[in-house]
Amino acid sequence: MGTCPTAIMPLPRDNFTGVLHHWARPEVLTCTSWGAPIIWDGTFDPHIAQQEARRRNLTIGLTVFAVGRYLEKYLEHFLVSAEQHFMVGQNVVYYVFTDRPEAVPYVALGQGRLLRAKPVQRERRWQDVSMARMPTLHEALGGQLGQEADFVFCLDVDQYFTGNFGPEVLADLVAQLHAWHYRWPRWLLPYERDKRSAAALSLSEGDFYYHAAVFGGSVAALLKLTAHCATGQQLDHKRGIEALWHDESHLNKFFWLNKPTKLLSPEFCWAEEIIWRREIHHPRLLWAPKEYTLVRN
Ligand code: UDP
Ligand code: MN
């Protein structure tokens, strides 16, 4: 499992991971069939990535949506923990999309870090809030965010950082292995199966099941990703259908058609409710308790 098969597609070298220490984690898959690294704790040197990011004087965007009751419930913990663990020592710009910019909590930011609160409309259904992120992100990436950031990470707000989440995660197109599903056989993965949907994958399609709570990449790659997902959602809407897991279904379709150039192990977005697994050495982000009755309509 630990060795990297010959890449079948040449991947752009990102220089952030240095030489991956596949041998350090022989018990897990550290490379995809198309040659993209799957980074696990111990397989990369965080200092190499930090130096590379500093040398290039990068600015990294972090987008998060906090609409309706998600703002009070999750945003402060998310931001405070990000200040401790997300891209420490780098230039960071937070984009907080919310229906109440004036209610964004004050959080002391480190040097080289700033926060922009961006107003968005509040959709009635939580599914629509979740899906509306794709067109909103697309617009932002085509505007100020795309101009000031080199790489952008797009995260759910209902989670918090518990460990270093640094430039080792950077690459042109980054996907997160879903903590619930990374050990499941392909045919069981919860892809959209209705052929009428733009997000549909057949039983013989799909590489991994990716979590929409974390994705990232270069501005150019994310412009393409968000356009694909927003268009797919719109097509489905016109047909009066909605994919099983909303934006996540469309994201999975996109990653099937456009292979991510780096995958994050489930350590990068872990759920404490899952029974502890030996391969999970160092969780970087944890899902906050899901109190849907409190935050959803
Ligand atoms: N969200 C929000 N307000 C809502 C619904 C969703 O701000 O009413 C945002 C928030 O960032 C949240 C994300 O959309 O983390 C995805 O929704 P959720 O986390 O509820 O989906 P799940 O992770 O349970 O699939
Ligand atoms: Mn979530």
Side-chain angles (χ1 to χ4, degrees):
M1 285 262 273
T3 53
C4 189
T6 316
I8 54 167
M9 278 164 26
L11 288 175
R13 263 180 65 78
D14 62 53
N15 284 327
F16 291 109
T17 14
V19 179
L20 262 197
H21 302 164
H22 296 287
W23 46 265
R25 298 297 301 270
E27 83 285 20
V28 290
L29 188 68
T30 55
C31 193
T32 66
S33 61
W34 62 93
I38 308 174
I39 61 170
W40 292 82
D41 190 57
T43 61
F44 55 86
D45 181 346
H47 300 110
I48 290 183
Q50 276 160 22
Q51 280 164 15
E52 177 67 11
R54 286 300 331 140
R55 191 182 65 75
R56 287 162 62 176
N57 192 27
L58 295 178
T59 295
I60 297 138
L62 175 54
T63 71
V64 71
F65 285 69
V67 176
R69 290 192 289 271
Y70 282 63
L71 193 154
E72 281 83 7
K73 184 85 192 134
Y74 302 115
L75 185 60
E76 187 162 10
H77 195 188
F78 177 91
L79 291 171
V80 169
S81 67
E83 275 302 291
Q84 288 163 350
H85 301 293
F86 182 78
M87 303 292 165
V88 175
Q90 310 295 336
N91 306 313
V92 170
V93 49
Y94 295 100
Y95 271 71
V96 177
F97 296 92
T98 175
D99 54 332
R100 280 173 301 142
E102 72 287 354
V104 171
Y106 171 77
V107 174
L109 302 180
Q111 205 194 342
R113 305 170 76 96
L114 58 93
L115 186 150
R116 300 191 193 284
K118 297 286 168 187
V120 292
Q121 244 188 308
R122 180 175 183 174
E123 306 290 336
R124 206 170 43 79
R125 298 165 64 242
W126 65 266
Q127 298 91 331
D128 289 330
V129 177
S130 188
M131 289 191 285
R133 292 184 293 177
M134 290 298 182
T136 303
L137 287 172
H138 187 75
E139 204 187 313
L141 288 158
Q144 187 190 31
L145 169 61
Q147 274 154 26
E148 64 188 344
D150 301 290
F151 291 91
V152 177
F153 265 74
C154 307
L155 267 57
D156 271 16
V157 74
D158 57 341
Q159 47 191 351
Y160 53 94
F161 292 88
T162 54
N164 179 49
F165 203 106
E168 63 274 3
V169 301
L170 299 178
D172 191 48
L173 187 59
V174 186
Q176 171 67 54
L177 291 179
H178 198 296
W180 279 353
H181 304 295
Y182 71 102
R183 292 173 159 212
W184 291 20
R186 177 163 76 172
W187 65 273
L188 265 179
L189 295 175
Y191 298 130
E192 174 55 56
R193 300 298 186 184
D194 182 342
K195 289 191 184 65
R196 294 172 304 161
S197 169
L201 288 178
S202 73
L203 286 175
S204 61
E205 294 175 324
D207 300 300
F208 300 94
Y209 192 78
Y210 303 112
H211 196 174
V214 178
F215 59 89
S218 67
V219 169
L222 292 180
L223 272 167
K224 199 170 154 194
L225 180 158
T226 49
H228 172 99
C229 295
T231 307
Q233 288 171 181
Q234 215 174 10
L235 281 171
D236 279 13
H237 187 75
K238 280 192 195 133
R239 292 178 191 137
I241 53 178
E242 188 169 278
L244 179 63
W245 289 108
H246 323 110
D247 44 307
E248 187 168 82
S249 302
H250 293 275
L251 182 73
N252 272 279
K253 174 79 175 218
F254 179 81
F255 282 141
W256 166 245
L257 299 174
N258 305 268
K259 305 299 187 205
T261 58
K262 183 177 284 181
L263 272 63
L264 307 182
S265 77
E267 293 168 311
F268 285 83
C269 186
W270 187 245
E272 275 187 308
E273 72 242 32
I274 302 177
I275 186 167
W276 201 261
R277 302 238 174 91
R278 272 177 33 209
E279 66 267 27
I280 305 301
H281 288 187
H282 186 185
R284 318 281 169 143
L285 258 179
L286 284 178
W287 305 5
K290 295 205 176 271
E291 295 175 86
Y292 289 142
T293 47
L294 292 180
V295 293
R296 286 182 178 169
N297 297 320

